[in-house]
Amino acid sequence: QVQLVESGGGLVQAGGSLRLSCAASGRTFSRLVMAWFRQTPGKEREFVARIRWSGTTTYYADSVKGRFTISRDNAKNTVDLQMNSLKPEDTAVYYCAARLADFGPYNYWGQGTQVTVSS
């Protein structure tokens, strides 16, 4: 079992930055594929970014590419999402997720943290 706890959300003006962090516990974190998703009311959960266990392979949604950076620290069991040049359309609840396999559904989810970008 894996427990995920997000932190770092809040209110920021358009053009600003926020850094989200996800702390994991319960299993060998270094072997997990970690990802961030986001969701706004009435819409499906949307993929944002993911990082493989080695930390050398990352993948981003087109909507955040060049503005967001995902990183991980396997010694601290954390994965971060640095969000720069934020836009009002980035407003959402952001979720940390984990899976054991390179492909397939994410098995574990955090409770989410709210990010609000004002125009």
Side-chain angles (χ1 to χ4, degrees):
Q1 195 71 5
V2 175
Q3 292 80 42
L4 304 173
V5 179
E6 302 98 335
S7 61
L11 174 65
V12 64
Q13 288 189 334
S17 299
L18 276 177
R19 188 176 184 90
L20 305 183
S21 186
C22 173
S25 61
R27 267 196 92 126
T28 306
F29 175 80
S30 62
R31 309 306 288 182
L32 296 171
V33 175
M34 302 298 298
W36 287 94
F37 287 75
R38 65 187 183 187
Q39 189 171 24
T40 54
K43 293 188 177 181
E44 291 190 358
R45 196 167 292 187
E46 173 190 27
F47 168 80
V48 175
R50 71 168 177 264
I51 186 168
R52 290 190 71 236
W53 63 271
S54 64
T56 58
T57 304
T58 57
Y59 187 77
Y60 298 91
D62 288 342
S63 58
V64 307
K65 201 173 295 182
R67 300 187 298 120
F68 291 11
T69 302
I70 188 171
S71 61
R72 67 189 295 162
D73 186 334
N74 288 340
K76 296 181 178 180
N77 286 6
T78 58
V79 59
D80 291 349
L81 185 69
Q82 177 65 42
M83 305 185 295
N84 299 328
S85 302
L86 283 161
K87 306 174 181 180
E89 52 264 42
D90 294 318
T91 295
V93 177
Y94 284 71
Y95 296 90
C96 178
R99 68 185 183 203
L100 296 171
D102 280 347
F103 302 97
Y106 287 85
N107 312 98
Y108 308 102
W109 294 85
Q111 82 288 351
T113 185
Q114 177 70 46
V115 171
T116 303
V117 184
S118 63
S119 57

